[in-house]
Structure formats: C-alpha cells, structure tokens
Amino acid sequence: METKTKSRVLQEFQEASKTLMNPALKKEKDKGAKIIGYFCSYGPAEIITAAGMIPFRIRAIGSTGTDLSDAYLSNINCSFCRNALNMGLAGEYDFLDGLIVLNNCDHVRRIYDNWRRKIKTPLVQMVSLPKKISDPSIQWYYDEMKIVKKAIEDKFNVKITDDKLREAIKLHNETRRLQRKLYDLRKKDNPPITGADTLAVMVAATALPLKQYNQMLKELIDDLSKSEGVGKAKARLLVIGGVLDDPEYIKVIESTGGLVVTDVLCYGTKNFRAEIDEKMKDPIAALAKYYIADRPSCPRMFGDQLRRAQLVKDLVKEFKVDGVIGQRIVFCDLWAGEIYMLNDDLKEAGIPFLKLDREYIMAGAGQVRTRVQAFIESMGR
Amino acid sequence: MIVGGCDIGSTTGKAVIMTDGQIAAYSIVTSTTRPEVTAKMAMEEAMGYLGLVSMDELDYIVGTGYGRLKVPFAKENVSEITCHARGANWLCPSVRTVVDIGGQDCKVMSIDNKGKVLEFVMNDRCAAGTGRFFEAMARALDCDLEGLSKLALEGKNPAVISSQCSVFAESEVVTLVNEGRELTDISAGLHNSIASRLSSMVRKVGLVADVALTGGCAKNEGLAKALENKLGVKVVHLPEDPQIAGALGAALIAAERVQQREEVGKKA
Amino acid sequence: MSKVDKAILDKQLERLRGDKTLLQAFVDVLSMDPSEEADINRFVLKTVMDKYDEIMNCAENDIPFMAAYFANCPEIFTAMDVPWWIFLQTPFLGVSSPFLASDTDETEKMGLATDFCTVLRLAMFYVEKNLTPKPAGLIALLHPCDGTVVIHQAIGKTKAWHDVPVFGADSPYWDDERTYKYYGEETKRMVDFVTQCTGKKLDIDRLREVCKISNQTYQLWADYNDLRKAVPCPHDWTIGPPQCFALACYYYPGKIEAVDWFKKLVANAEKRVKAGTGMAAGERIRALWFDILPIMWQFDISPWLEQEWGVNIVMNMFGYTPYEPIDTKNETTMFRGLAKRSLSQVPMIRQARGVADNFLGDIERIVKDYKIDCVIWPGHMGHKDGNASIGMMREKCRELGVPFLSIGLDLFDKRYTAIDEVKDRISKFFQASGLGQKK
C-alpha cells in the first residue's frame, strides 16, 4: 500500500524526515536565523519561536555509529541517546545555537551533563520537569519556563514579550489544528495516506520553519482530501511507544499489509490532541497548563496511567483500530513499565496487543515483519 | 484438490503436499544459500513422490518460514507462527501450546481448538534454545545430535549450566569436560538449561495442556523429557515428523483458500 | 486479630519469617564473639529483625502501617509514631538469597523487561504474588530514577494492592532553595496523606524533638566518617557505611537508639585510630566503591578483596552524606531542612539524582579526603543514569590521578556477571594499575 498522491509537498516532508538539516532550514540559517534544539516533547517549542528562533527537535537519523559516544554512555543506555550524543560529538549539530534538555528520563538527563562538557553549543540549558500533574507542579513548570525564557533572552540579547508568546502560541496551535485534520482523513475506511508517510509529515514539523510548514501541510491536506485511498488494509493498527522518528519502521510494519491509522507517539497524536488556551491572559501560564495538564502525558508522569490507557481505548474507537502495537527502545524503563501496564488495560478491553522491542537504528526488519504478520494473522485477518 | 505448503528455514526447507485433506507426500531438504532454490528443491522432491511434474498441477501453494518472501511459486505467504500452530493442531487436535524449535529461532504459541494463535513469544535474537545451540554442544561433546540426546536421557546428576548465551555455555561445557564430569550429566544439564528457557517462554503465553514440540529439534527425546520435567505436564508426540508442522500448516491454509474460492464461485 | 484470611497472611509473611531465621543464624554466630565490634554488628542485625517483627505484628493485628522510604523525610514517621517499612527491604538486603534467582526468573515470566532494574522487578513480583503484607498506604518514591516512578504506578494495578492509596511527592531536579521549598510543601501534603491512611497526626513540637535527635545522629555519623579518613582505616568490611545508613536513615531516623549506637561506633573507631589498628589482613589499597553493596555481594566480594588484595573500601555510596543540620526554629524551616536532607543528602539519592556535578564533586572530595587509591564503579544494570556517566567519572579520576574501573554487573542477580568474572576484572585492574603489591 502506498500513498497515492504524488504531492511535491509530501516528498519535501519525507526528505526532511530522512536528514537532520534540510534545504528550507538551511536557507533560514544562512539568512542568519538562530536554531535552538530541544530534547523532548515538553519542549517548549513556543518559547523558542517567540524568541524569533527556530525550534528543532533533536533526532539521530542518519547516525553511522556510536564510537564517539561509547566513551561516555554505556551499552545499556538508550540507543537514541547514544546516537544523538554521537552526532553531537561528530559535529553534526554544530548548526545549533542553543540546546534545551529536560530531565524527562535517566538517559536523556545525562545528555545534558555530557553535551555541555564536550560540545560547544553556545547555550545548553536544563529544565526540571515535574513528575506528576497537580496545581503545584504546573506552577513549578511555569517557573521553569520563565527561567528558560530569561536564559534565552540573556544569551541572545532578545526580548520575549507576552505578545510574541501569544503569536507563537497561535502559530503552533495552527500546526496542531492542521495535524488533527490530517489524522481525521485517516479515520476513513480507505485512508489517503500511510502511517509511514504521516510520521514523515509529523517529524518534518520539528525540523522546518513553522510558518512554511503550515503552508505546506495545508496544501498536502487539500491534495489528500481529493486523492485515492491507499488500498484495502488487512488490519488497522495503532502504534504506541517511545520516541519514534523513523518512517522506515512504520514502513516495515505496513509491508505486512497492515495499515497504521493512528498512534500515541511523541511525534504523533500527543502533539495535537489538546491545544494551548489562547484566551488565557498570561501566555506562560497557558503553556504550563497545556504541557503539564492538558497534553497527553508521557509515562514519566506519575499517577496518570489510567488516563493514558483511556486515550488508547478512545483512539481505538475513533479510528476503528483492529490491533495495537506497543514498541519501545531497549533499556527504556519508562516504556517497559507503560507497556507492561497497558497490557492489562487492553486485555480487559479485548483489544489485541503486540509488544515489540527495538533499537533506535532500524535493524532486523525481517524479524519485525514476522511478528507483525503473525499478529495480524492471529486477529483472523 | 491438491495443495502445497513450503516452509523455508535457515537450516532446512520442507514441503508438504495434501490431496483431499490428507498428507500425500512431504520432503525435508538441506537449505542452500538461496531460498528460491531451496523452495524449488523441496517442492520438486515432494512432487516426485507423487509423480507430479509441474507446479501448475497444484491448486494453491502457500509459502512460510524466514525465506517465505522468496518462494516464487507460492500464491501467498503466511508467517511460520500461524503455520506451525495450524500444523500442530491438525496433527493432534488436543494441542493447545506449541513449542517450535528451529535451526535459528524458537517460539512458543498458545492456540485455541481450531489452531488459531492466541498469543506468541519468539526468540530470534540469539542461538539459545535453537538447533544451532545443539549443534555447537554436540561438537563440544564430540558426538552427533542423536548421541547428544541419548546421553542426556542417561544423566543421573545433571550439571548446572549457568550461561544463558550459547557461546559462553560452550566454554562452560569444555571446562566441565576437563574437570571429568560425566558426559551424560553435562548433556542432561544442557537440556535442562534449554528446557528452562523454553519453559519461561511457555509461561509468558500461559501453559495450557496439551503441549507439543515442532521443528527439527522436536525429535530430541532428551529435550522433550527435560521440558516435561520443567513444565510438569507431558509433551505429546505428533503422529508425523514434527519438522513438517510448518509446511503442513501452510498446506492447510492453501486448502482453505481453494475452498473459499469454490464457495465464492458457487455463489456467483 | 487480622481480618485477612490466615492462609493469605501466612503467605504474605512467609519470606519475612524466612529472612528472620537466616538473620538469627548470623546473630548467633556473632554472639560467640565477645569483641566490641561484634556487639556493634549484632545490634544492627537485631534492629533489622525488630523491623520485621514490627511489621509482622502490624499485619497480624490489623495495625495500619505505611510502605515508604528513607528518602521521603522518614523523621516524619517517627514524629507521627507511624510504623513503616521499605517493602523492597527483603529483595534489597538480598537475605532471601535462596529465592533470589528463581524470583528474578519469575519476573521475566510476568512480562517485565529484563533490562529493568532487578530489585524493582523483585519488589513488583512480591506484590503481584502477595508475598508481602499489605500497607495502609504507599508513599511512592519519585526520585532518583525512572524505574521507581514506573514501579509505583504498576503496583497500583496489581490485584493485591490496587486499593492501597498512593501518594508521590514530586521531586524537582535542582538542589536550591526553591527546590527545597517546593519539596517541603509536597512533604506537608504527604503528612496529610499519612494522617488519612493511619489516623495519626503530626505534632510540630514532637517533630522538633525528632529533628534534634536526627541532627545528633548525623553529627555523630560525620564524626565517624572523619575517623574513617585515618590511615589505616579503623574498620574492615564488616563495619561501616551500610550499618550507618541503615540506622540513621531507615531504622532509627530521629530516634535515640541511633544516637546511642553511633556513640559506641565512634568510641570504638577512636580507640582503633589511636592505636593505629586497621583491618586484620593489612590495608594495601584504599578504594572508593561508588555504589551500594547489598548483603549477599558483601559476602562474595568483600572478604576476598581484603584477603587477596588488601582492599579496604573506606568509602562507598552508602556512607557519604555531607549534611546540614535541620533548623528546628519553626515548621517552615524544619520542612525545608527535611526536604534538603531527602533530596540532596541521603545516600544513593544524593548521587543519582540531579546534575552530574553533584556526584563528580563527591568523587573529588572523597578521593582527596580519604586518600583513595582507586575508584570502582560497579555499574549496576539498573543505574541507567550512572552508566551514562562513566565517561565523566573516568575523566574526573584521570584529573585526580587515580585509576578507575567500570565493571558492569547486577547487584541483585549474580548470573548477570558471575562473581568469578567480577573478581577477574578487579584483579586485572589492580595488576595493571600496580596497586596492592605486598611489601
């Protein structure tokens, strides 16, 4: 099954997902734009945009190995972190003017310590992310956002005004609305776009100048609304799990005849399920509320597992999903636990569930294919 | 109705031909490096037993196994997980847990009374619990596979092999041999360690009797015994060579397809 | 009498009773040794057994008790007179060693990934199989690692504990006043939770008394740590950081028994320092073992290190807790002091939480103050953040001019890296570094 539209825009999205730097981003950089990288969904990208800079989510696509990072991280650390740090050490991230790291997990939080000692990014800033959802923790994150804002202002001699923040929020919300529209097209019995291509589109949002991205995505949605479906899928799948930024992985899953129609992923549904409240007077308060309370949480958020499981069940209904695939990068404790807990919830709800371990760099396609194929067959399809 | 199933594994290729719901012929050939060559060899050997000359004489062929995408004459490919489950169930309808031990991987399936897979767990990352492991151990004990199994059955005081990895287990075995441990005890220990691994996989999908072994290593009596001890239930013997379970399952699915087509044809 | 069905209760207390029996055997052996040192150790073992008794008594008589941690301001439980324990205690101590391997295998069958920290998997197993008595409430520890955040959510889904109320105090990443204030407030909420679960209230004056005693304990601990700087170090592997941690942080936080014990410990150490008495085998290498050493590993590694290589682990992660006395002026200062203690000053938490500068600073301090010859990072498989710091540790040690060894093992599963393999690596390391040569 293939996305039938020959949209030029889709090709650009696909290219952006295959590399770190892409032509559009390079153009901006050459014009003098500053790029600030961030390591996790809790970003916050809006503050970077409000500073007049381009937010760039850190990936390790195209990494050729970990021989540089092996001196710092061990072979029982997450391969995403190992490869990302390696690319940093190899100079592939020299285009960054700043980097924001959050303590979202044990592996990433040490990236901060290693990166600032070894890689010459002008500003390397850490954010302390709460571990639960409560009024005090929202307030904590609010204060952390102010600290980050000030750090960027001081380092780059810019002023991030409330108005600029409001504009940035509007821009990012626009992205969210468009992405939601894109996903809505996949509710159809014969969706016009594959899961692999959708992931490419979602990843591209974190690597392209956003105004441009929104324009392109509008065009793509128009295209897709008029195009043919990808074909009859053997099974409609939902993928959930840890950081997944490589459309190749979804492609392998879909080579079995299954079609990924939705997801609960960092680069997926989580980004647009909720929106930032544009009516709140204090834009930073709006950010804090969105990221901590409203956005579907990451497994690191204690006490929210039932809500996370409910999201999966809701999406299964909304998108008429036949089976759920849970994937995690080996050595990830958070997703090991989340998948372990979700297993009970899905069993209870009678939703078929396949659990996969993977490495960040795509390997063992045949093995993934066999498991997914057997999974689909066991659903009687 | 004549249908065929072709199971292309890393070590052997198997083909089963069924006519009117019965096994008419089967073959087991050593795999070459090219799956499409292995498939042809296996299929043609089985066809030879029936005097068949061309693939066209079969109504439908299904391919399975790790080389299943490279079986050019197969109309369809199905995962070996589904096929082993179907095959084992057809051979012995009381089977509810299938333990398949192949050349390079091993898997456990929990199935229903129709042979449909309910849950499965696979180890295709390492050699522990696979044919490769037994080959390596047979070498270390200087015997053949059958000999290895016989030794295990005689072991009175099985050695404890602690290494999970077959490479390190081999070192352990060499040490034990040098220390003068009885070969019977060493072999029994090896079988126990594999049975432990397999029983762990069984418990992950849930142990439901009857349990059957499929795949090349299923013919290892020592392993069957060791597994019975670990699980506390008897391992049933399949009435045909357990190594053909995958190809048999593929043939059964081929038969189903032909049936479905006929029914659709009738309605039209 | 407990409302819980007797058969179920017996199963829940089975492992605790087994542990007690094993510990009693140690106590009996020590009773044959009239030395002061044996006496010091016997008290620690008795303390551990008393904790088992306390919890079993609660379980058998329906007295509410909490499952909590030494990193959640334990002085508060003392002040509220609430019985509590670390339900990880049994697998953590590794005393149930006959069962450890098979229990670990069971966790794999449960479906928990094998790269998940073993001690947490074991804790999960104990709850899933109802092999541990049920508390009136669970304080979820949310720092320092991911594993602990996960396990306390997963526990809430087990059949046995799904109805146990849970509270987690949110712990920020920094070590500054803002952080301590925030965590102090979270701790106040924890107090309310404990009251809901047990009916007991917190009296601020009582808390003041408890904090004063806790301050005394920590002062004595600091005095003892100072004495360990002597060459040779006054105590061998049988007395040191693990016992100090156990009594100060877990068994007697803010209780006079800890003060009395530490006084004896300090007196004994002083005597030995004056006489220049070190460990019997003769100290040739002063090592920093930068992790914890659960009991069963102690027995496998420590005697061998002493006899084979003359190694004295003069400091390890259990023992290094530079601290600030809790200011007992008022409620706010006490909660802030307790917060600082639990986030920045208790062992293991101190080193694993927060930015790398924390533990790198510790390594530097310890190497200098304790005249350390080498630093060993055991590399427990559960410490994902620690293992992501090996490069930085290595560089720090190079800067300090001491050799550094990273091993890679499972502190709770000896099959991960076999003891012989560990000994081999350590031996090669000492040989290559020219350490431990007999004079």
Side-chain angles (χ1 to χ4, degrees), chain A residues 182-291:
Chain A
L182 175 70
Y183 269 62
D184 281 345
L185 292 174
R186 300 162 78 196
K187 286 181 177 165
K188 295 183 180 169
D189 279 339
N190 191 357
I193 184 172
T194 62
D197 286 335
T198 307
L199 183 57
V201 175
M202 297 300 287
V203 166
T206 67
L208 288 170
L210 212 55
K211 269 209 190 82
Q212 200 176 337
Y213 174 82
N214 287 353
Q215 216 28 60
M216 292 164 72
L217 184 50
K218 260 195 215 114
E219 230 186 274
L220 179 64
I221 292 172
D222 275 334
D223 259 343
L224 292 173
S225 316
K226 305 187 202 108
S227 59
E228 252 183 272
V230 298
K232 185 93 180 80
K234 278 205 179 129
R236 293 168 69 89
L237 304 168
L238 179 157
V239 175
I240 180 173
V243 66
L244 175 58
D245 57 27
D246 188 357
E248 268 313 300
Y249 190 77
I250 306 284
K251 221 178 184 162
V252 170
I253 291 177
E254 291 182 319
S255 71
T256 59
L259 182 69
V260 175
V261 296
T262 188
D263 58 62
V264 176
L265 292 171
C266 297
Y267 285 93
T269 301
K270 284 194 197 178
N271 283 306
F272 57 78
R273 192 70 175 171
E275 269 176 36
I276 303 176
D277 188 345
E278 289 171 30
K279 294 199 212 69
M280 270 178 95
K281 262 195 77 194
D282 182 347
I284 299 188
L287 283 177
K289 179 170 174 290
Y290 168 74
Y291 276 104

Side-chain angles (χ1 to χ4, degrees), chain B residues 33-101:
Chain B
T33 52
R34 311 261 306 278
E36 56 273 23
V37 170
T38 309
K40 194 156 176 281
M41 274 170 58
M43 208 62 209
E44 284 177 349
E45 185 178 310
M47 280 160 52
Y49 295 133
L50 301 173
L52 298 169
V53 190
S54 152
M55 307 272 188
D56 295 334
E57 295 178 68
L58 284 88
D59 295 317
Y60 206 92
I61 302 176
V62 168
T64 187
Y66 106 113
R68 67 189 180 281
L69 296 174
K70 297 254 171 47
V71 182
F73 46 81
K75 279 220 176 58
E76 171 178 350
N77 75 79
V78 176
S79 79
E80 56 269 38
I81 292 160
T82 304
C83 289
H84 273 268
R86 289 295 301 275
N89 171 262
W90 188 87
L91 289 170
C92 181
S94 65
V95 168
R96 294 292 176 270
T97 309
V98 182
V99 177
D100 173 45
I101 308 166

Side-chain angles (χ1 to χ4, degrees), chain A residues 80-356:
Chain A
F80 164 59
C81 290
R82 293 172 68 190
N83 280 286
L85 183 64
N86 204 77
M87 290 184 100
L89 291 167
E92 309 242 24
Y93 269 110
D94 286 351
F95 64 87
L96 291 179
D97 297 285
L99 176 66
I100 300 180
V101 189
L102 298 94
N103 66 324
N104 57 302
C105 77
D106 286 339
H107 308 259
V108 168
R109 63 185 173 98
R110 284 297 176 239
I111 299 268
Y112 169 71
D113 299 297
N114 282 297
W115 194 292
R116 66 177 248 263
R117 282 170 168 79
K118 295 289 161 191
I119 302 170
K120 289 190 177 23
T121 305
L123 171 71
V124 182
Q125 183 77 10
M126 183 75 164
V127 172
S128 166
L129 193 55
K131 292 194 184 187
K132 68 182 202 189
I133 299 168
S134 65
D135 286 333
S137 74
I138 294 175
Q139 182 62 44
W140 175 272
Y141 187 74
Y142 176 92
D143 292 333
E144 288 289 303
M145 290 299 94
K146 287 196 113 159
I147 292 173
V148 164
K149 174 171 159 304
K150 185 161 191 308
I152 295 176
E153 285 176 331
D154 289 347
K155 183 74 184 180
F156 299 105
N157 214 357
V158 292
K159 195 80 183 68
I160 303 176
T161 63
D162 276 2
D163 277 335
K164 290 207 182 116
L165 278 167
R166 287 189 194 101
E167 259 180 63
I169 288 174
K170 274 209 185 77
L171 183 64
H172 283 260
N173 270 353
E174 166 84 3
T175 308
R176 290 182 176 104
R177 285 176 205 130
L178 288 167
Q179 290 174 336
R180 196 178 304 132
K181 266 212 179 107
L182 175 70
Y183 269 62
D184 281 345
L185 292 174
R186 300 162 78 196
K187 286 181 177 165
K188 295 183 180 169
D189 279 339
N190 191 357
I193 184 172
T194 62
D197 286 335
T198 307
L199 183 57
V201 175
M202 297 300 287
V203 166
T206 67
L208 288 170
L210 212 55
K211 269 209 190 82
Q212 200 176 337
Y213 174 82
N214 287 353
Q215 216 28 60
M216 292 164 72
L217 184 50
K218 260 195 215 114
E219 230 186 274
L220 179 64
I221 292 172
D222 275 334
D223 259 343
L224 292 173
S225 316
K226 305 187 202 108
S227 59
E228 252 183 272
V230 298
K232 185 93 180 80
K234 278 205 179 129
R236 293 168 69 89
L237 304 168
L238 179 157
V239 175
I240 180 173
V243 66
L244 175 58
D245 57 27
D246 188 357
E248 268 313 300
Y249 190 77
I250 306 284
K251 221 178 184 162
V252 170
I253 291 177
E254 291 182 319
S255 71
T256 59
L259 182 69
V260 175
V261 296
T262 188
D263 58 62
V264 176
L265 292 171
C266 297
Y267 285 93
T269 301
K270 284 194 197 178
N271 283 306
F272 57 78
R273 192 70 175 171
E275 269 176 36
I276 303 176
D277 188 345
E278 289 171 30
K279 294 199 212 69
M280 270 178 95
K281 262 195 77 194
D282 182 347
I284 299 188
L287 283 177
K289 179 170 174 290
Y290 168 74
Y291 276 104
I292 303 300
D294 299 339
R295 189 178 190 281
S297 67
C298 169
R300 75 184 302 299
M301 287 308 203
F302 177 78
D304 203 30
Q305 193 270 339
L306 285 177
R307 191 169 68 139
R308 293 195 288 265
Q310 189 58 47
L311 174 60
V312 178
K313 290 190 263 189
D314 289 344
L315 288 172
V316 164
K317 273 210 190 75
E318 287 169 36
F319 284 77
K320 290 184 269 179
V321 167
D322 299 310
V324 174
I325 297 180
Q327 53 80 19
R328 65 141 198 161
I329 296 182
V330 187
F331 305 119
C332 177
D333 291 328
L334 293 173
W335 278 102
E338 188 74 6
I339 286 177
Y340 177 71
M341 291 187 276
L342 185 60
N343 191 48
D344 287 343
D345 295 300
L346 293 183
K347 216 186 203 142
E348 213 180 355
I351 299 170
F353 188 35
L354 173 70
K355 309 182 248 313
L356 298 176

Side-chain angles (χ1 to χ4, degrees), chain C residues 225-378:
Chain C
N225 272 350
D226 266 340
L227 292 164
R228 283 184 77 91
K229 292 177 186 168
V231 181
C233 175
H235 287 138
D236 64 17
W237 75 273
T238 58
I239 296 187
Q243 289 93 340
C244 296
F245 155 77
L247 264 65
C249 302
Y250 178 18
Y251 294 106
Y252 295 125
K255 289 191 180 161
I256 203 70
E257 288 92 332
V259 174
D260 292 340
W261 181 83
F262 268 99
K263 282 194 177 139
K264 283 206 184 93
L265 179 71
V266 170
N268 178 277
E270 269 170 353
K271 234 193 300 193
R272 291 174 73 94
V273 169
K274 257 207 194 81
T277 317
M279 65 192 205
E283 185 180 285
R284 305 196 309 271
I285 304 177
R286 294 169 69 89
L288 164 60
W289 178 275
F290 204 54
D291 206 324
I292 57 180
L293 261 170
I295 288 194
M296 60 178 181
W297 273 87
Q298 297 254 77
F299 283 125
D300 285 308
I301 288 289
S302 308
W304 173 82
L305 280 171
E306 277 193 7
Q307 269 127 51
E308 186 75 12
W309 287 101
V311 175
N312 196 331
I313 297 178
V314 297
M315 189 44 66
N316 71 16
M317 236 195 230
F318 259 137
Y320 197 67
T321 58
Y323 81 105
E324 197 188 280
I326 297 169
D327 181 351
T328 56
K329 185 160 57 205
N330 57 45
E331 188 176 334
T332 306
T333 60
M334 282 194 279
F335 273 89
R336 178 247 172 230
L338 286 167
K340 179 165 184 173
R341 174 77 57 77
S342 280
L343 290 176
S344 311
Q345 296 173 337
V346 274
M348 294 170 275
I349 309 295
R350 174 189 174 79
Q351 292 87 0
R353 193 193 140 273
V355 291
D357 304 61
N358 294 353
F359 69 80
L360 290 172
D362 279 359
I363 291 178
E364 181 157 352
R365 194 72 273 141
I366 295 170
V367 165
K368 290 186 175 151
D369 288 350
Y370 287 79
K371 300 194 182 50
I372 295 292
D373 298 315
C374 64
V375 177
I376 300 177
W377 165 251

Side-chain angles (χ1 to χ4, degrees), chain A residues 63-90 111 114 118-119 331 359 361, chain C residues 377 386-395 398 404 406:
Chain A
S63 169
T64 50
T66 56
D67 19 282
L68 294 174
S69 62
D70 283 346
Y72 302 99
L73 305 178
S74 75
N75 61 1
I76 62 167
N77 284 117
C78 163
S79 49
F80 164 59
C81 290
R82 293 172 68 190
N83 280 286
L85 183 64
N86 204 77
M87 290 184 100
L89 291 167
I111 299 268
N114 282 297
K118 295 289 161 191
I119 302 170
F331 305 119
E359 297 280 0
I361 302 289
Chain C
W377 165 251
N387 282 309
S389 312
I390 293 180
M392 292 186 284
M393 287 190 223
R394 184 175 290 121
E395 285 177 2
R398 206 167 289 160
F404 169 76
S406 165

Side-chain angles (χ1 to χ4, degrees), chain A residues 367 370-371 373-374 377-378, chain B residues 68 77 79 82 116-117 124:
Chain A
Q367 293 164 341
T370 301
R371 283 165 169 78
Q373 189 173 357
E377 287 157 5
S378 74
Chain B
R68 67 189 180 281
N77 75 79
S79 79
T82 304
K116 176 163 127 51
V117 174
D124 51 9

